[in-house]
Amino acid sequence: MSEQSVVPIDQILPHKLPLVALMGRPIFPGIFTPIMIGNPMDVKVIDEAVARDGLIGLVMLANESESPTIMDLYKVGTAAKIVKKINLPDGGVNIFISTLKRFRIKKALNPANPMVGAVEYLDDEEDNTSEVKALTRALISEMKQISENNPLFSEEMRLNMINIDHPGKIADFIASILNIDKGEQQKILEVLNVRKRMEQVLVFIKKEQELLRIQKRIQKEINEKIEKSQRDYFLKEELKAIKTELGMTTDAKSSEYQRFKDKLDAFKFEGEIKDAVEQELEKFNLMDPNSGEFIITRNYLDTIANLPWSEPAPEHFDLRVAREILENDHYGLTDVKSRIVEYLAVRKLKQDSKGSIVCLVGPPGVGKTSVGKSVAHALSKEFFRFSVGGMRDEAEIKGHRRTYIGAMPGKILQGLKIVKTKDPVFMIDEIDKMGVSFQGDPASALLEVLDPEQNNSFRDHYLDLPFDISHIFFIVTANTLDTIPRPLLDRMEIIQLPGYIDTEKLEIAKRYLVPKSLTKNGLKKNQVKYTRESLLYIANGYAREAGVRNFEKNLDKIHRKLAKQLVEAEEEAKANTQKQDKAGNISAEEHQMPEYAGESQTVRGAASEGAVSEKRPEEQSGYENGIAEKFVIDKKLIEKHLGKPLFPEGEFKKADRPGMSMGLAWTSMGGDTLVIEAAAVPGKGGLTLTGKMGDIMKESGAIAMTVARKWGIERYGIDAAWFEKNHIHLHIPEGATPKDGPSAGITMATALLSMLRNKTITAKLVMTGELSLTGQVLPIGGLKEKTIAARRNKARHIIIPKQNLRDLDDIPDIVKKGIEFHPVERFEEVLALALPD
């Protein structure tokens, strides 16, 4: 065929085309590809086209719908010729098409079913410039790089790309095989300018290259991990084979299994425990180490293996040695030490440690925890302490069930695991401060722990096996018994630790607190000297509470300041020596021997502030570089370091005006004195109670008001109308401190009658006792602590209920010395002593 006989494609292609909507991606010109047609209307269009000239228009849907129209199509599509049609069993057809040229829909001849449009064909622009040639080379070069690293590009694709002779067709071919969004492909299809089309395609190639680079990096990392895992696996298998040849344990799991089995077999379990342990061991042996259950089972077996299942050895302790240990560790507390020695004697006589539960009750700082440590020392047993103060979760006592993540045994089994013995001394601190929440009641959980009849088969939720904890010597501590549940209290032997008086604090400070504080603050024993008067001054002026904790804090404060003075004096002395050496003014011998002006010369520098030297100039061994090695702590130095006393000398609570009386109270902090004030103001009758009183004390106030009114009218002739015209106010100062309890009845009634009679009560008189409506004085508790508080307040007379006479025997003579007790049965006797006629 001659060159003149070639007809242009525009003249072959008709200007009216049946249109087929594409659901997926657009199809570019110059491509031979199969298409599946399933829509019956589209199949009909294909059949009609094949019957005519085989030409159709392929246009992508812009708006997808079940029954699309020409309005739902993009305006630009591709004309294609059907080369072959294959009918499919489901009624659809598979056609092979050769795409020819872009077209634009000018007019809808038939908008739907079937869609036919009038079209115009679009030619490429700028397809033969130097820029286009350069872009052609760039596209082919970049696509080679992508195809080399991507197995999805076949060799046929690479050849097609190289053999395409038209730049626009190259861009179309590349756009059709790149993995880009169909909307972006449609935009490329609509670009007629070849240069712009190639530039857009080049941008997408660069994006594809970046994605391939990231994919390659991720693939490399995954392959490295897989290779390492495979390498580790093969090495482990080789190691197993080597160990098998040598007769060694093959892997860590087998080693763990054997270790657990040996330890658990040594305990010689029986019954339920044996069955449960064997079952867990078997499960552990069959379990995959990578499973989540493996570590749970391992931890469970580890807990069982580390608990002290063996029966404890018989106790061997010397009662005399135990008494000496208690005497050396604690001053005073005679009754407490006697009770503990009796307790130990019973243990030794019975050769049975079961049922040993002691509750030490007393104010803070009196030595409850240290008594527990001394008991463990006396018995030569391991000591474990934990606090339940603020505890709200019963699982802290009885453990968590193993089904929970992070489950662990309770404090009891944790302690046994730590001490590794079945009969230690356990101290449970602050048992009166446990709470209750939605997580349970820990106090109720302690009922089984502290019951000698039940704790021989204690079941922790985590262990879920019976464990005998009856050999543990439990010592619990509390500040008050009021908040301890009664069933729990019944399981314990109560031992009260009273507060200390000033003379006892003096001895405790001399024997324990001062040496301990000196060591803690880096001072030597012979560097500081306290006189008896200075220690009593600290006890009465700065630490008047029941315990000695604040006493120790004040000693620490003094010793820190002395340590600071010594260090500053050393540094100043060294600095002065260096200056003098440089100046050459004095010799090395003069550096070592300071000059003194008199017998009681105070040291130079910071150490001279309030610290007086006791050594004479001739006793030079007591000094180094002008630094005192001994300080005498006197009243002036105490006030310098601690400030003015919190409780000045002679400043005690007094009832020195009408309407005032002095009572005694027991609190969790020890005994205390209470001033009760009463006043009346004109107004509507009634009674107001203030001072943070509890419900019981408010009831006592109401009873006291009734008794005082009755006595005022009947005995002292007060007009009954006076009570209707005056409002009475009863107040207890220090209102921020909660107060409660049945022991202030006679004190309140006395204050009211003191106000009504306008008469001051007897000096240095304090009282305690509950009052009934008939004038009966009822017994109270805590007399020992109250007596100590009265002595601390320099009281000389104490009115007590007659029924409390038996409690006087429990009070040491040193506490009762100088105090006269007045036992009374009726309120008349109280008035005779407090407000005599």
Side-chain angles (χ1 to χ4, degrees):
M1 187 179 291
S2 63
E3 191 171 334
Q4 286 79 6
S5 64
V6 176
V7 181
I9 194 168
D10 292 352
Q11 297 177 15
I12 298 173
L13 296 173
H15 292 282
K16 183 176 74 171
L17 279 177
L19 303 176
V20 176
L22 298 176
M23 298 287 289
R25 297 173 179 272
I27 297 177
F28 288 84
I31 295 171
F32 183 79
T33 183
I35 299 178
M36 295 280 292
I37 304 294
N39 191 317
M41 293 307 300
D42 290 340
V43 171
K44 186 177 179 182
V45 171
I46 297 299
D47 290 341
E48 291 176 357
V50 170
R52 274 194 323 274
D53 53 8
L55 293 172
I56 58 172
L58 302 173
V59 189
M60 195 175 75
L61 274 170
N63 304 309
E64 294 186 6
S65 64
E66 292 183 3
S67 302
T69 65
I70 289 183
M71 302 304 295
D72 295 320
L73 303 176
Y74 283 100
K75 296 301 180 186
V76 177
T78 304
K81 184 170 180 61
I82 301 172
V83 178
K84 187 176 182 180
K85 185 189 82 164
I86 300 173
N87 293 322
L88 300 176
D90 60 356
V93 294
N94 191 3
I95 59 173
F96 290 86
I97 60 167
S98 174
T99 54
L100 304 172
K101 197 169 186 179
R102 288 174 171 81
F103 66 82
R104 180 181 289 111
I105 301 172
K106 291 174 64 180
K107 185 179 178 182
L109 300 177
N110 190 18
N113 300 329
M115 293 181 287
V116 180
V119 300
E120 64 172 340
Y121 296 97
L122 307 173
D123 294 321
D124 289 342
E125 303 169 358
E126 295 185 31
D127 58 352
N128 201 22
T129 63
S130 57
E131 287 184 1
V132 169
K133 291 177 180 178
L135 283 168
T136 303
R137 291 184 181 182
L139 284 176
I140 294 172
S141 174
E142 296 293 342
M143 282 304 295
K144 279 184 178 180
Q145 291 184 20
I146 292 176
S147 63
E148 287 172 0
N149 296 321
N150 194 337
L152 297 176
F153 287 93
S154 64
E155 190 63 33
E156 187 179 349
M157 281 182 167
R158 296 189 187 100
L159 290 172
N160 285 340
M161 186 173 58
I162 295 170
N163 293 331
I164 295 172
D165 56 352
H166 193 278
K169 289 183 179 180
I170 291 175
D172 289 343
F173 179 74
I174 293 173
S176 68
I177 63 176
L178 283 177
N179 185 22
I180 58 179
D181 184 70
K182 62 181 181 180
E184 298 293 342
Q185 284 184 328
Q186 178 66 30
K187 288 180 182 178
I188 294 172
L189 181 67
E190 294 175 0
V191 175
L192 299 180
N193 188 295
V194 174
R195 180 178 60 82
K196 290 182 180 179
R197 189 190 308 164
M198 297 180 85
E199 286 175 350
Q200 287 188 15
V201 172
L202 191 59
V203 170
F204 287 116
I205 289 174
K206 289 294 183 184
K207 289 182 179 178
E208 184 70 16
Q209 285 179 340
E210 180 63 20
L211 287 173
L212 286 171
R213 187 186 64 78
I214 295 171
Q215 180 184 352
K216 190 175 180 182
R217 176 174 59 79
I218 294 171
Q219 192 69 33
K220 182 181 177 184
E221 290 175 357
I222 293 171
N223 288 337
E224 285 177 353
K225 288 181 181 177
I226 293 172
E227 288 171 5
K228 184 179 183 304
S229 176
Q230 289 176 338
R231 179 173 173 274
D232 290 348
Y233 174 77
F234 287 126
L235 287 174
K236 285 177 182 176
E237 289 300 314
E238 287 181 6
L239 186 60
K240 280 184 186 179
I242 293 169
K243 286 188 173 181
T244 303
E245 288 293 326
L246 295 173
M248 298 168 61
T249 306
T250 55
D251 58 1
K253 178 187 167 185
S254 300
S255 174
E256 285 266 274
Y257 172 79
Q258 196 58 44
R259 181 174 68 86
F260 285 142
K261 193 170 189 315
D262 292 343
K263 287 190 76 171
L264 296 172
D265 286 347
F267 290 128
K268 297 179 180 177
F269 292 128
E270 295 180 356
E272 178 191 353
I273 302 176
K274 181 180 180 182
D275 294 342
V277 168
E278 287 179 350
Q279 184 178 350
E280 290 295 327
L281 270 173
E282 187 65 26
K283 185 166 72 171
F284 178 76
N285 192 34
L286 298 174
M287 201 174 288
D288 180 9
N290 296 318
S291 70
E293 190 76 15
F294 179 82
I295 191 67
I296 296 174
T297 305
R298 185 200 170 280
N299 289 341
Y300 180 68
L301 289 171
D302 186 66
T303 299
I304 296 176
N306 286 288
L307 284 173
W309 294 91
S310 305
E311 287 296 310
E315 287 185 342
H316 295 290
F317 61 90
D318 192 326
L319 206 61
R320 180 181 54 80
V321 174
R323 186 185 291 109
E324 288 177 0
I325 290 171
L326 290 170
E327 289 292 343
N328 292 335
D329 290 351
H330 298 87
Y331 176 79
L333 303 179
T334 307
D335 181 52
V336 175
K337 289 186 280 193
S338 175
R339 293 277 293 278
I340 290 174
V341 169
E342 291 168 6
Y343 214 77
L344 299 181
V346 172
R347 285 173 68 98
K348 186 168 185 177
L349 193 62
K350 285 176 62 182
Q351 285 296 311
D352 181 12
S353 61
K354 296 186 178 182
S356 303
I357 300 162
V358 173
C359 180
L360 303 177
V361 183
V366 295
K368 298 185 292 297
T369 304
S370 60
V371 166
K373 291 180 181 178
S374 297
V375 170
H377 184 199
L379 291 171
S380 301
K381 291 184 180 294
E382 294 292 331
F383 179 78
F384 180 77
R385 172 194 167 275
F386 67 94
S387 174
V388 293
M391 186 181 289
R392 293 176 177 271
D393 188 357
E394 68 166 65
E396 294 286 333
I397 303 294
K398 298 194 73 173
H400 308 80
R401 300 194 185 280
R402 274 190 292 156
T403 52
Y404 298 124
I405 294 173
M408 62 178 68
K411 290 288 186 184
I412 306 300
L413 291 194
Q414 285 182 39
L416 289 170
K417 191 175 173 182
I418 291 169
V419 298
K420 301 186 186 310
T421 178
K422 207 170 186 178
D423 60 344
V425 175
F426 266 29
M427 171 159 278
I428 306 176
D429 257 342
E430 314 293 353
I431 200 172
D432 57 324
K433 297 179 181 63
M434 284 187 291
V436 179
S437 73
F438 66 92
Q439 295 167 310
D441 181 7
S444 299
L446 277 175
L447 290 175
E448 182 184 359
V449 174
L450 300 180
D451 190 343
E453 301 300 322
Q454 298 180 41
N455 61 11
N456 59 350
S457 57
F458 172 68
R459 277 186 183 270
D460 184 274
H461 288 153
Y462 179 82
L463 191 67
D464 200 24
L465 294 172
F467 191 91
D468 186 4
I469 60 171
S470 61
H471 297 282
I472 301 174
F473 187 171
F474 286 104
I475 300 177
V476 302
T477 71
N479 296 132
T480 177
L481 299 177
D482 298 340
T483 55
I484 302 176
R486 184 59 53 185
L488 189 58
L489 204 58
D490 289 343
R491 286 162 165 76
M492 301 182 289
E493 176 78 15
I494 308 299
I495 298 179
Q496 296 277 356
L497 277 77
Y500 298 114
I501 59 174
D502 50 5
T503 52
E504 289 176 322
K505 288 182 181 179
L506 173 67
E507 291 299 322
I508 292 169
K510 284 166 59 179
R511 300 186 187 191
Y512 308 103
L513 301 184
V514 172
K516 177 183 174 183
S517 181
L518 288 172
T519 303
K520 184 166 52 173
N521 291 285
L523 297 170
K524 296 177 182 176
K525 189 177 179 181
N526 59 354
Q527 280 184 299
V528 181
K529 180 182 178 183
Y530 285 91
T531 62
R532 175 185 175 86
E533 290 72 23
S534 61
L535 290 173
L536 284 173
Y537 187 62
I538 295 173
N540 290 321
Y542 300 89
R544 207 181 278 182
E545 79 284 355
V548 291
R549 198 164 284 152
N550 280 335
F551 200 144
E552 185 176 4
K553 288 179 182 177
N554 284 300
L555 291 174
D556 287 341
K557 190 173 181 180
I558 293 171
H559 295 157
R560 283 196 302 270
K561 292 183 181 296
L562 294 182
K564 175 191 165 191
Q565 291 178 13
L566 286 172
V567 172
E568 287 178 346
E570 280 183 6
E571 291 176 351
E572 186 178 346
K574 287 179 181 178
N576 290 336
T577 302
Q578 290 173 357
K579 287 179 183 177
Q580 292 168 353
D581 283 345
K582 288 179 181 177
N585 294 329
I586 56 174
S587 64
E589 289 80 6
E590 290 174 321
H591 296 170
Q592 297 173 1
M593 191 70 68
E595 296 180 359
Y596 295 93
E599 245 182 40
S600 59
Q601 171 74 31
T602 57
V603 298
R604 279 178 254 148
S608 65
E609 297 179 8
V612 181
S613 165
E614 283 199 326
K615 293 193 176 184
R616 300 189 178 188
E618 59 268 19
E619 298 174 320
Q620 299 300 338
S621 61
Y623 292 82
E624 277 188 32
N625 297 328
I627 301 164
E629 284 195 350
K630 194 162 188 176
F631 301 100
V632 177
I633 309 300
D634 56 11
K635 180 178 176 181
K636 182 179 178 182
L637 184 61
I638 291 170
E639 289 189 5
K640 176 178 176 55
H641 291 323
L642 300 182
K644 292 296 180 181
L646 300 176
F647 311 98
E649 288 185 61
E651 188 175 304
F652 298 98
K653 295 177 183 177
K654 299 175 184 177
D656 53 1
R657 293 173 182 272
M660 298 176 68
S661 65
M662 292 290 296
L664 295 172
W666 185 93
T667 70
S668 60
M669 303 293 287
D672 197 8
T673 51
L674 291 179
V675 177
I676 296 182
E677 301 173 341
V681 292
K684 188 177 178 181
L687 175 67
T688 297
L689 299 171
T690 56
K692 197 91 174 176
M693 298 186 197
D695 292 338
I696 298 175
M697 189 170 274
K698 286 179 181 177
E699 291 180 0
S700 297
I703 293 170
M705 181 64 208
T706 301
V707 172
R709 181 171 179 169
K710 179 183 177 184
W711 278 68
I713 294 170
E714 295 179 359
R715 176 166 293 199
Y716 300 115
I718 297 172
D719 188 1
W722 183 90
F723 292 97
E724 304 298 329
K725 298 176 183 177
N726 290 274
H727 185 84
I728 296 174
H729 189 159
L730 196 64
H731 176 64
I732 304 177
E734 302 174 26
T737 306
K739 311 168 190 73
D740 203 5
S743 64
I746 63 172
T747 316
M748 291 178 175
T750 302
L752 289 167
L753 285 169
S754 172
M755 174 203 69
L756 293 172
R757 296 182 63 188
N758 196 29
K759 186 174 182 180
T760 305
I761 69 167
T762 305
K764 296 188 176 181
L765 172 71
V766 295
M767 60 189 77
T768 179
E770 189 50 74
L771 184 62
S772 73
L773 278 174
T774 58
Q776 187 79 19
V777 179
L778 305 176
I780 48 86
L783 183 60
K784 186 175 184 179
E785 288 77 10
K786 291 177 179 179
T787 305
I788 292 172
R791 183 179 183 84
R792 204 180 293 130
N793 203 60
K794 305 296 182 184
R796 290 290 175 261
H797 302 275
I798 301 179
I799 298 175
I800 63 171
K802 195 168 186 178
Q803 293 181 50
N804 286 107
L805 272 173
R806 63 182 184 274
D807 297 326
L808 290 178
D809 295 336
D810 297 331
I811 303 174
D813 292 336
I814 190 171
V815 176
K816 294 186 289 187
K817 186 178 180 182
I819 295 178
E820 186 176 354
F821 292 88
H822 302 276
V824 296
E825 285 185 291
R826 303 280 308 166
F827 186 54
E828 300 95 297
E829 300 173 64
V830 176
L831 289 179
L833 293 165
L835 295 168
D837 292 330

